[in-house]
Amino acid sequence: MVDILRTYRLIPLEEGEGYLKVVAPKNIEPLLLEELRFSTGKEVIPLFLPEEEFAQRLQEVLAQEEVRIEGEFEEREIRDILYEEETSPAVSFVNQTLIKAVNAGASDVHIEPYEGQAIVRVRLDGVLHEYTRIPLSLQEQVASRIKVLANLNVAERRVPQDGKIAVKVGARHLDIRVSVVPTVFGERVVLRLLEKGGRLLRLEDLGLWEEDLLKLRRLSQKPYGIVLATGPTGAGKSTTLYAMILEVKSPRRNIITIEDPPEYQIEGVSQIQVNPKVGLTFATGLRAILRQDPDVIMVGEIRDAETAEIAVQSALTGHLVLSTLHTNDAPSAITRLFDLGVEPFLIASALEGVVAQRLVRRICPHCKEAYKPSQEELSQLGLSEECILYRGRGCEHCMGTGYKGRTGIYEVLEVEEEFKKTIIKTQDAVELRNFARGQGFGSMLEDGIRKVLAGITTPEEVLRAVKAEE
């Protein structure tokens, strides 16, 4: 029997004696239907859909298909992998895996060779899940296929390589970052999936409570000064800074960013990618930006003393500077700047605010259920009264995890006059935190507990994300 879905990229609806019903795009070549009629020996009855609607339907159907591992276990064109001919097991596997990953909302795909087999895992909502296992012979072909797509050296298997792939999955355009690293058992491949033209989140989409949302809006509108987003890698810091840029973006403002690399493209914002190989670092790029008459500057990360010094001077000379730091909480950002050699009086003058954050998984709305927490859970959260909490049972919508999507937990520190005076006296994170608490500052843990009680996330997620001692 002809494989209508894979060979003709048409969706079979119903098959009877002498006829075959299929879903087809309106712009289909008539000869293709005639060819299908000839190869099946049946009358083909097409149900036509608009091209975009058909592509979406085809994507959903292909995402439900099992990945077929066949055969012996052996100018940058933008391809639409929904319609690409599957000429080999490797092509079929790569296409099918990408379609499934995009459909599930995965951010990364890992193809990891071990002794005897390779494990394929996908990262959903920040957590890796095993997807399938394949023979090493197929893994080698898959790695080669990905290297061809990313314009990497297929013959070179001894050194790490990085590249990019641009593909389409129906109406969705993907920029895929490729990292290939040699291991004992073969080449390990990691794909980072970024949707080109994907909707950028605004401040109101980040999961902030109203009072924190107002604080970030006030910080976005500052005429000058530094605003920092802090947290570990993958905590959503860049997303927060992009949301702040969207808040202030206008034809009357010159906004320039320097990033490593730019994750999203924003119309009306000039974005620069660092390139240390040619001497374009955060520090040298920041110096060049200052000669471009900017109003708002976003620096991907303050990594060293030189970048910190230039960022502070930029803030003191009338620019709003947005950047990130790797610290555990908001008050620690002040200690970190001091450790980088910035004088306390300069920190006090330049710093306007800090937002510390983590990402937690949301409870899947399709399988959400209430339950009575144990005394241990209540004590871990610091709750004394009995209450009702929520969790996800696990269903087909969330791949059995009980979670669907992510949200942030935050602490937002506005650096006001009294706090600036304290910064000059002490740069100790504990003392600064205690002073801020006296001024009504709320912690990430408290924000997380509020979200647990509101049925947004679970105690396990909050405790995993926030390692706080209070």
Side-chain angles (χ1 to χ4, degrees), residues 138-171:
L138 178 58
Q139 191 273 340
E140 286 177 15
Q141 296 174 40
V142 167
S144 296
R145 169 66 177 164
I146 290 169
K147 286 164 78 173
V148 167
L149 291 174
N151 292 320
L152 302 179
N153 185 347
V154 179
E156 180 56 79
R157 298 184 176 183
R158 299 163 300 171
V159 297
Q161 297 187 67
D162 296 311
K164 284 184 179 180
I165 305 171
V167 297
K168 286 169 65 185
V169 181

PDB file of all heavy atoms in Angstrom, residues 138-171:
ATOM      1  N   LEU A 138      22.824   4.572  12.861  1.00  0.00           N
ATOM      2  CA  LEU A 138      21.887   5.610  12.436  1.00  0.00           C
ATOM      3  C   LEU A 138      22.286   6.957  13.032  1.00  0.00           C
ATOM      4  O   LEU A 138      22.175   8.001  12.370  1.00  0.00           O
ATOM      5  CB  LEU A 138      20.460   5.249  12.849  1.00  0.00           C
ATOM      6  CG  LEU A 138      19.386   6.286  12.509  1.00  0.00           C
ATOM      7  CD1 LEU A 138      19.346   6.563  11.003  1.00  0.00           C
ATOM      8  CD2 LEU A 138      18.017   5.837  12.989  1.00  0.00           C
ATOM      9  N   GLN A 139      22.801   6.938  14.282  1.00  0.00           N
ATOM     10  CA  GLN A 139      23.213   8.193  14.921  1.00  0.00           C
ATOM     11  C   GLN A 139      24.315   8.881  14.115  1.00  0.00           C
ATOM     12  O   GLN A 139      24.324  10.101  13.973  1.00  0.00           O
ATOM     13  CB  GLN A 139      23.690   7.897  16.349  1.00  0.00           C
ATOM     14  CG  GLN A 139      23.906   9.148  17.207  1.00  0.00           C
ATOM     15  CD  GLN A 139      25.287   9.739  17.049  1.00  0.00           C
ATOM     16  OE1 GLN A 139      26.218   9.050  16.598  1.00  0.00           O
ATOM     17  NE2 GLN A 139      25.440  11.008  17.387  1.00  0.00           N
ATOM     18  N   GLU A 140      25.236   8.082  13.562  1.00  0.00           N
ATOM     19  CA  GLU A 140      26.310   8.659  12.732  1.00  0.00           C
ATOM     20  C   GLU A 140      25.721   9.338  11.505  1.00  0.00           C
ATOM     21  O   GLU A 140      26.143  10.434  11.114  1.00  0.00           O
ATOM     22  CB  GLU A 140      27.285   7.553  12.306  1.00  0.00           C
ATOM     23  CG  GLU A 140      28.193   7.077  13.409  1.00  0.00           C
ATOM     24  CD  GLU A 140      29.079   5.931  12.948  1.00  0.00           C
ATOM     25  OE1 GLU A 140      29.180   5.722  11.715  1.00  0.00           O
ATOM     26  OE2 GLU A 140      29.656   5.248  13.811  1.00  0.00           O
ATOM     27  N   GLN A 141      24.742   8.677  10.861  1.00  0.00           N
ATOM     28  CA  GLN A 141      24.096   9.270   9.682  1.00  0.00           C
ATOM     29  C   GLN A 141      23.337  10.539  10.055  1.00  0.00           C
ATOM     30  O   GLN A 141      23.358  11.531   9.316  1.00  0.00           O
ATOM     31  CB  GLN A 141      23.128   8.261   9.059  1.00  0.00           C
ATOM     32  CG  GLN A 141      23.778   7.013   8.502  1.00  0.00           C
ATOM     33  CD  GLN A 141      22.754   6.006   8.037  1.00  0.00           C
ATOM     34  OE1 GLN A 141      21.747   6.352   7.441  1.00  0.00           O
ATOM     35  NE2 GLN A 141      23.001   4.734   8.320  1.00  0.00           N
ATOM     36  N   VAL A 142      22.669  10.516  11.209  1.00  0.00           N
ATOM     37  CA  VAL A 142      21.905  11.685  11.672  1.00  0.00           C
ATOM     38  C   VAL A 142      22.849  12.855  11.941  1.00  0.00           C
ATOM     39  O   VAL A 142      22.586  13.996  11.540  1.00  0.00           O
ATOM     40  CB  VAL A 142      21.093  11.327  12.934  1.00  0.00           C
ATOM     41  CG1 VAL A 142      20.558  12.583  13.621  1.00  0.00           C
ATOM     42  CG2 VAL A 142      19.935  10.395  12.579  1.00  0.00           C
ATOM     43  N   ALA A 143      23.976  12.576  12.610  1.00  0.00           N
ATOM     44  CA  ALA A 143      24.957  13.636  12.889  1.00  0.00           C
ATOM     45  C   ALA A 143      25.483  14.231  11.583  1.00  0.00           C
ATOM     46  O   ALA A 143      25.613  15.456  11.446  1.00  0.00           O
ATOM     47  CB  ALA A 143      26.107  13.091  13.733  1.00  0.00           C
ATOM     48  N   SER A 144      25.769  13.360  10.603  1.00  0.00           N
ATOM     49  CA  SER A 144      26.255  13.846   9.299  1.00  0.00           C
ATOM     50  C   SER A 144      25.197  14.685   8.598  1.00  0.00           C
ATOM     51  O   SER A 144      25.503  15.733   8.012  1.00  0.00           O
ATOM     52  CB  SER A 144      26.652  12.670   8.412  1.00  0.00           C
ATOM     53  OG  SER A 144      27.739  11.977   8.968  1.00  0.00           O
ATOM     54  N   ARG A 145      23.939  14.236   8.659  1.00  0.00           N
ATOM     55  CA  ARG A 145      22.835  14.981   8.036  1.00  0.00           C
ATOM     56  C   ARG A 145      22.722  16.377   8.642  1.00  0.00           C
ATOM     57  O   ARG A 145      22.580  17.376   7.929  1.00  0.00           O
ATOM     58  CB  ARG A 145      21.528  14.191   8.233  1.00  0.00           C
ATOM     59  CG  ARG A 145      20.246  14.955   7.887  1.00  0.00           C
ATOM     60  CD  ARG A 145      20.156  15.267   6.420  1.00  0.00           C
ATOM     61  NE  ARG A 145      18.905  15.918   6.081  1.00  0.00           N
ATOM     62  CZ  ARG A 145      18.676  16.570   4.958  1.00  0.00           C
ATOM     63  NH1 ARG A 145      19.617  16.650   4.030  1.00  0.00           N
ATOM     64  NH2 ARG A 145      17.509  17.120   4.718  1.00  0.00           N
ATOM     65  N   ILE A 146      22.802  16.457   9.970  1.00  0.00           N
ATOM     66  CA  ILE A 146      22.683  17.754  10.651  1.00  0.00           C
ATOM     67  C   ILE A 146      23.870  18.645  10.292  1.00  0.00           C
ATOM     68  O   ILE A 146      23.715  19.848  10.060  1.00  0.00           O
ATOM     69  CB  ILE A 146      22.574  17.546  12.175  1.00  0.00           C
ATOM     70  CG1 ILE A 146      21.199  16.918  12.506  1.00  0.00           C
ATOM     71  CG2 ILE A 146      22.737  18.866  12.922  1.00  0.00           C
ATOM     72  CD1 ILE A 146      21.069  16.412  13.922  1.00  0.00           C
ATOM     73  N   LYS A 147      25.071  18.060  10.181  1.00  0.00           N
ATOM     74  CA  LYS A 147      26.254  18.843   9.817  1.00  0.00           C
ATOM     75  C   LYS A 147      26.142  19.390   8.393  1.00  0.00           C
ATOM     76  O   LYS A 147      26.556  20.518   8.113  1.00  0.00           O
ATOM     77  CB  LYS A 147      27.512  17.994   9.982  1.00  0.00           C
ATOM     78  CG  LYS A 147      27.882  17.789  11.450  1.00  0.00           C
ATOM     79  CD  LYS A 147      28.865  16.667  11.658  1.00  0.00           C
ATOM     80  CE  LYS A 147      30.271  17.046  11.331  1.00  0.00           C
ATOM     81  NZ  LYS A 147      31.221  15.965  11.699  1.00  0.00           N
ATOM     82  N   VAL A 148      25.577  18.596   7.493  1.00  0.00           N
ATOM     83  CA  VAL A 148      25.354  19.074   6.116  1.00  0.00           C
ATOM     84  C   VAL A 148      24.394  20.272   6.131  1.00  0.00           C
ATOM     85  O   VAL A 148      24.643  21.297   5.483  1.00  0.00           O
ATOM     86  CB  VAL A 148      24.790  17.942   5.224  1.00  0.00           C
ATOM     87  CG1 VAL A 148      24.258  18.495   3.915  1.00  0.00           C
ATOM     88  CG2 VAL A 148      25.865  16.888   4.961  1.00  0.00           C
ATOM     89  N   LEU A 149      23.288  20.142   6.879  1.00  0.00           N
ATOM     90  CA  LEU A 149      22.303  21.237   6.949  1.00  0.00           C
ATOM     91  C   LEU A 149      22.916  22.499   7.542  1.00  0.00           C
ATOM     92  O   LEU A 149      22.554  23.619   7.169  1.00  0.00           O
ATOM     93  CB  LEU A 149      21.100  20.801   7.792  1.00  0.00           C
ATOM     94  CG  LEU A 149      20.189  19.713   7.208  1.00  0.00           C
ATOM     95  CD1 LEU A 149      19.143  19.297   8.230  1.00  0.00           C
ATOM     96  CD2 LEU A 149      19.515  20.184   5.925  1.00  0.00           C
ATOM     97  N   ALA A 150      23.859  22.319   8.498  1.00  0.00           N
ATOM     98  CA  ALA A 150      24.449  23.477   9.191  1.00  0.00           C
ATOM     99  C   ALA A 150      25.730  23.971   8.533  1.00  0.00           C
ATOM    100  O   ALA A 150      26.418  24.838   9.075  1.00  0.00           O
ATOM    101  CB  ALA A 150      24.737  23.093  10.642  1.00  0.00           C
ATOM    102  N   ASN A 151      26.040  23.436   7.334  1.00  0.00           N
ATOM    103  CA  ASN A 151      27.248  23.824   6.598  1.00  0.00           C
ATOM    104  C   ASN A 151      28.519  23.606   7.419  1.00  0.00           C
ATOM    105  O   ASN A 151      29.434  24.441   7.419  1.00  0.00           O
ATOM    106  CB  ASN A 151      27.165  25.292   6.141  1.00  0.00           C
ATOM    107  CG  ASN A 151      26.110  25.500   5.092  1.00  0.00           C
ATOM    108  OD1 ASN A 151      25.947  24.681   4.202  1.00  0.00           O
ATOM    109  ND2 ASN A 151      25.365  26.589   5.204  1.00  0.00           N
ATOM    110  N   LEU A 152      28.586  22.489   8.147  1.00  0.00           N
ATOM    111  CA  LEU A 152      29.779  22.146   8.910  1.00  0.00           C
ATOM    112  C   LEU A 152      30.612  21.137   8.122  1.00  0.00           C
ATOM    113  O   LEU A 152      30.151  20.557   7.135  1.00  0.00           O
ATOM    114  CB  LEU A 152      29.379  21.557  10.272  1.00  0.00           C
ATOM    115  CG  LEU A 152      28.519  22.456  11.164  1.00  0.00           C
ATOM    116  CD1 LEU A 152      28.179  21.742  12.469  1.00  0.00           C
ATOM    117  CD2 LEU A 152      29.230  23.771  11.464  1.00  0.00           C
ATOM    118  N   ASN A 153      31.826  20.912   8.577  1.00  0.00           N
ATOM    119  CA  ASN A 153      32.733  19.979   7.917  1.00  0.00           C
ATOM    120  C   ASN A 153      32.356  18.551   8.316  1.00  0.00           C
ATOM    121  O   ASN A 153      32.597  18.118   9.445  1.00  0.00           O
ATOM    122  CB  ASN A 153      34.182  20.289   8.326  1.00  0.00           C
ATOM    123  CG  ASN A 153      35.182  19.421   7.581  1.00  0.00           C
ATOM    124  OD1 ASN A 153      34.815  18.430   6.938  1.00  0.00           O
ATOM    125  ND2 ASN A 153      36.451  19.788   7.658  1.00  0.00           N
ATOM    126  N   VAL A 154      31.759  17.803   7.382  1.00  0.00           N
ATOM    127  CA  VAL A 154      31.289  16.447   7.668  1.00  0.00           C
ATOM    128  C   VAL A 154      32.459  15.510   7.954  1.00  0.00           C
ATOM    129  O   VAL A 154      32.353  14.589   8.776  1.00  0.00           O
ATOM    130  CB  VAL A 154      30.446  15.908   6.487  1.00  0.00           C
ATOM    131  CG1 VAL A 154      29.972  14.491   6.760  1.00  0.00           C
ATOM    132  CG2 VAL A 154      29.256  16.815   6.233  1.00  0.00           C
ATOM    133  N   ALA A 155      33.590  15.735   7.310  1.00  0.00           N
ATOM    134  CA  ALA A 155      34.739  14.833   7.467  1.00  0.00           C
ATOM    135  C   ALA A 155      35.464  15.044   8.795  1.00  0.00           C
ATOM    136  O   ALA A 155      36.170  14.155   9.266  1.00  0.00           O
ATOM    137  CB  ALA A 155      35.713  15.051   6.311  1.00  0.00           C
ATOM    138  N   GLU A 156      35.291  16.209   9.412  1.00  0.00           N
ATOM    139  CA  GLU A 156      35.999  16.522  10.662  1.00  0.00           C
ATOM    140  C   GLU A 156      35.199  16.026  11.858  1.00  0.00           C
ATOM    141  O   GLU A 156      34.106  16.514  12.131  1.00  0.00           O
ATOM    142  CB  GLU A 156      36.227  18.042  10.765  1.00  0.00           C
ATOM    143  CG  GLU A 156      36.945  18.474  12.035  1.00  0.00           C
ATOM    144  CD  GLU A 156      38.278  17.768  12.196  1.00  0.00           C
ATOM    145  OE1 GLU A 156      39.249  18.179  11.540  1.00  0.00           O
ATOM    146  OE2 GLU A 156      38.335  16.793  12.986  1.00  0.00           O
ATOM    147  N   ARG A 157      35.761  15.026  12.561  1.00  0.00           N
ATOM    148  CA  ARG A 157      35.045  14.460  13.714  1.00  0.00           C
ATOM    149  C   ARG A 157      35.869  14.539  14.999  1.00  0.00           C
ATOM    150  O   ARG A 157      35.526  13.921  15.988  1.00  0.00           O
ATOM    151  CB  ARG A 157      34.698  12.987  13.440  1.00  0.00           C
ATOM    152  CG  ARG A 157      33.767  12.814  12.252  1.00  0.00           C
ATOM    153  CD  ARG A 157      33.383  11.376  12.067  1.00  0.00           C
ATOM    154  NE  ARG A 157      32.420  11.242  10.979  1.00  0.00           N
ATOM    155  CZ  ARG A 157      31.851  10.091  10.628  1.00  0.00           C
ATOM    156  NH1 ARG A 157      32.149   8.989  11.289  1.00  0.00           N
ATOM    157  NH2 ARG A 157      30.994  10.043   9.628  1.00  0.00           N
ATOM    158  N   ARG A 158      36.958  15.317  14.951  1.00  0.00           N
ATOM    159  CA  ARG A 158      37.856  15.351  16.116  1.00  0.00           C
ATOM    160  C   ARG A 158      37.715  16.618  16.948  1.00  0.00           C
ATOM    161  O   ARG A 158      38.169  16.660  18.089  1.00  0.00           O
ATOM    162  CB  ARG A 158      39.316  15.225  15.648  1.00  0.00           C
ATOM    163  CG  ARG A 158      39.623  13.936  14.905  1.00  0.00           C
ATOM    164  CD  ARG A 158      40.916  14.061  14.123  1.00  0.00           C
ATOM    165  NE  ARG A 158      40.842  15.150  13.140  1.00  0.00           N
ATOM    166  CZ  ARG A 158      41.872  15.608  12.441  1.00  0.00           C
ATOM    167  NH1 ARG A 158      43.069  15.084  12.626  1.00  0.00           N
ATOM    168  NH2 ARG A 158      41.720  16.587  11.576  1.00  0.00           N
ATOM    169  N   VAL A 159      37.133  17.667  16.385  1.00  0.00           N
ATOM    170  CA  VAL A 159      37.032  18.942  17.119  1.00  0.00           C
ATOM    171  C   VAL A 159      35.568  19.390  17.192  1.00  0.00           C
ATOM    172  O   VAL A 159      34.751  19.040  16.332  1.00  0.00           O
ATOM    173  CB  VAL A 159      37.876  20.045  16.426  1.00  0.00           C
ATOM    174  CG1 VAL A 159      39.344  19.686  16.436  1.00  0.00           C
ATOM    175  CG2 VAL A 159      37.390  20.311  15.008  1.00  0.00           C
ATOM    176  N   PRO A 160      35.208  20.179  18.213  1.00  0.00           N
ATOM    177  CA  PRO A 160      33.837  20.711  18.303  1.00  0.00           C
ATOM    178  C   PRO A 160      33.550  21.645  17.135  1.00  0.00           C
ATOM    179  O   PRO A 160      34.446  22.345  16.637  1.00  0.00           O
ATOM    180  CB  PRO A 160      33.841  21.486  19.631  1.00  0.00           C
ATOM    181  CG  PRO A 160      34.999  20.950  20.395  1.00  0.00           C
ATOM    182  CD  PRO A 160      36.018  20.559  19.379  1.00  0.00           C
ATOM    183  N   GLN A 161      32.299  21.666  16.694  1.00  0.00           N
ATOM    184  CA  GLN A 161      31.866  22.576  15.635  1.00  0.00           C
ATOM    185  C   GLN A 161      30.523  23.201  16.005  1.00  0.00           C
ATOM    186  O   GLN A 161      29.697  22.557  16.664  1.00  0.00           O
ATOM    187  CB  GLN A 161      31.713  21.835  14.298  1.00  0.00           C
ATOM    188  CG  GLN A 161      32.999  21.243  13.750  1.00  0.00           C
ATOM    189  CD  GLN A 161      32.805  20.665  12.351  1.00  0.00           C
ATOM    190  OE1 GLN A 161      32.557  21.392  11.378  1.00  0.00           O
ATOM    191  NE2 GLN A 161      32.904  19.356  12.231  1.00  0.00           N
ATOM    192  N   ASP A 162      30.329  24.439  15.597  1.00  0.00           N
ATOM    193  CA  ASP A 162      29.067  25.148  15.835  1.00  0.00           C
ATOM    194  C   ASP A 162      28.540  25.682  14.522  1.00  0.00           C
ATOM    195  O   ASP A 162      29.315  26.131  13.665  1.00  0.00           O
ATOM    196  CB  ASP A 162      29.256  26.323  16.805  1.00  0.00           C
ATOM    197  CG  ASP A 162      29.679  25.856  18.189  1.00  0.00           C
ATOM    198  OD1 ASP A 162      29.024  24.936  18.715  1.00  0.00           O
ATOM    199  OD2 ASP A 162      30.651  26.397  18.731  1.00  0.00           O
ATOM    200  N   GLY A 163      27.230  25.668  14.360  1.00  0.00           N
ATOM    201  CA  GLY A 163      26.637  26.193  13.135  1.00  0.00           C
ATOM    202  C   GLY A 163      25.173  26.538  13.336  1.00  0.00           C
ATOM    203  O   GLY A 163      24.658  26.514  14.455  1.00  0.00           O
ATOM    204  N   LYS A 164      24.517  26.884  12.234  1.00  0.00           N
ATOM    205  CA  LYS A 164      23.103  27.271  12.273  1.00  0.00           C
ATOM    206  C   LYS A 164      22.362  26.611  11.129  1.00  0.00           C
ATOM    207  O   LYS A 164      22.933  26.371  10.062  1.00  0.00           O
ATOM    208  CB  LYS A 164      22.952  28.797  12.126  1.00  0.00           C
ATOM    209  CG  LYS A 164      23.298  29.582  13.369  1.00  0.00           C
ATOM    210  CD  LYS A 164      23.010  31.064  13.126  1.00  0.00           C
ATOM    211  CE  LYS A 164      23.309  31.882  14.358  1.00  0.00           C
ATOM    212  NZ  LYS A 164      23.028  33.317  14.149  1.00  0.00           N
ATOM    213  N   ILE A 165      21.089  26.332  11.360  1.00  0.00           N
ATOM    214  CA  ILE A 165      20.215  25.820  10.303  1.00  0.00           C
ATOM    215  C   ILE A 165      18.966  26.693  10.294  1.00  0.00           C
ATOM    216  O   ILE A 165      18.426  27.028  11.353  1.00  0.00           O
ATOM    217  CB  ILE A 165      19.782  24.358  10.565  1.00  0.00           C
ATOM    218  CG1 ILE A 165      20.995  23.442  10.756  1.00  0.00           C
ATOM    219  CG2 ILE A 165      18.900  23.843   9.442  1.00  0.00           C
ATOM    220  CD1 ILE A 165      20.638  22.040  11.218  1.00  0.00           C
ATOM    221  N   ALA A 166      18.506  27.062   9.111  1.00  0.00           N
ATOM    222  CA  ALA A 166      17.231  27.763   8.974  1.00  0.00           C
ATOM    223  C   ALA A 166      16.261  26.815   8.286  1.00  0.00           C
ATOM    224  O   ALA A 166      16.524  26.347   7.179  1.00  0.00           O
ATOM    225  CB  ALA A 166      17.401  29.039   8.146  1.00  0.00           C
ATOM    226  N   VAL A 167      15.171  26.473   8.950  1.00  0.00           N
ATOM    227  CA  VAL A 167      14.161  25.602   8.356  1.00  0.00           C
ATOM    228  C   VAL A 167      12.774  26.154   8.637  1.00  0.00           C
ATOM    229  O   VAL A 167      12.589  27.016   9.495  1.00  0.00           O
ATOM    230  CB  VAL A 167      14.236  24.149   8.898  1.00  0.00           C
ATOM    231  CG1 VAL A 167      15.542  23.503   8.548  1.00  0.00           C
ATOM    232  CG2 VAL A 167      13.985  24.101  10.395  1.00  0.00           C
ATOM    233  N   LYS A 168      11.807  25.628   7.883  1.00  0.00           N
ATOM    234  CA  LYS A 168      10.400  25.947   8.126  1.00  0.00           C
ATOM    235  C   LYS A 168       9.681  24.683   8.549  1.00  0.00           C
ATOM    236  O   LYS A 168       9.992  23.602   8.066  1.00  0.00           O
ATOM    237  CB  LYS A 168       9.743  26.484   6.849  1.00  0.00           C
ATOM    238  CG  LYS A 168      10.124  27.904   6.477  1.00  0.00           C
ATOM    239  CD  LYS A 168       9.643  28.238   5.072  1.00  0.00           C
ATOM    240  CE  LYS A 168       8.130  28.220   4.997  1.00  0.00           C
ATOM    241  NZ  LYS A 168       7.650  28.422   3.615  1.00  0.00           N
ATOM    242  N   VAL A 169       8.748  24.846   9.464  1.00  0.00           N
ATOM    243  CA  VAL A 169       7.813  23.764   9.777  1.00  0.00           C
ATOM    244  C   VAL A 169       6.428  24.351   9.522  1.00  0.00           C
ATOM    245  O   VAL A 169       5.834  24.994  10.377  1.00  0.00           O
ATOM    246  CB  VAL A 169       7.946  23.280  11.233  1.00  0.00           C
ATOM    247  CG1 VAL A 169       6.977  22.139  11.502  1.00  0.00           C
ATOM    248  CG2 VAL A 169       9.374  22.828  11.518  1.00  0.00           C
ATOM    249  N   GLY A 170       5.958  24.196   8.297  1.00  0.00           N
ATOM    250  CA  GLY A 170       4.709  24.855   7.917  1.00  0.00           C
ATOM    251  C   GLY A 170       4.906  26.361   7.903  1.00  0.00           C
ATOM    252  O   GLY A 170       5.790  26.885   7.226  1.00  0.00           O
ATOM    253  N   ALA A 171       4.092  27.073   8.703  1.00  0.00           N
ATOM    254  CA  ALA A 171       4.163  28.535   8.729  1.00  0.00           C
ATOM    255  C   ALA A 171       5.209  29.045   9.711  1.00  0.00           C
ATOM    256  O   ALA A 171       5.438  30.243   9.818  1.00  0.00           O
ATOM    257  CB  ALA A 171       2.784  29.105   9.104  1.00  0.00           C
TER     258      ALA A 171
END
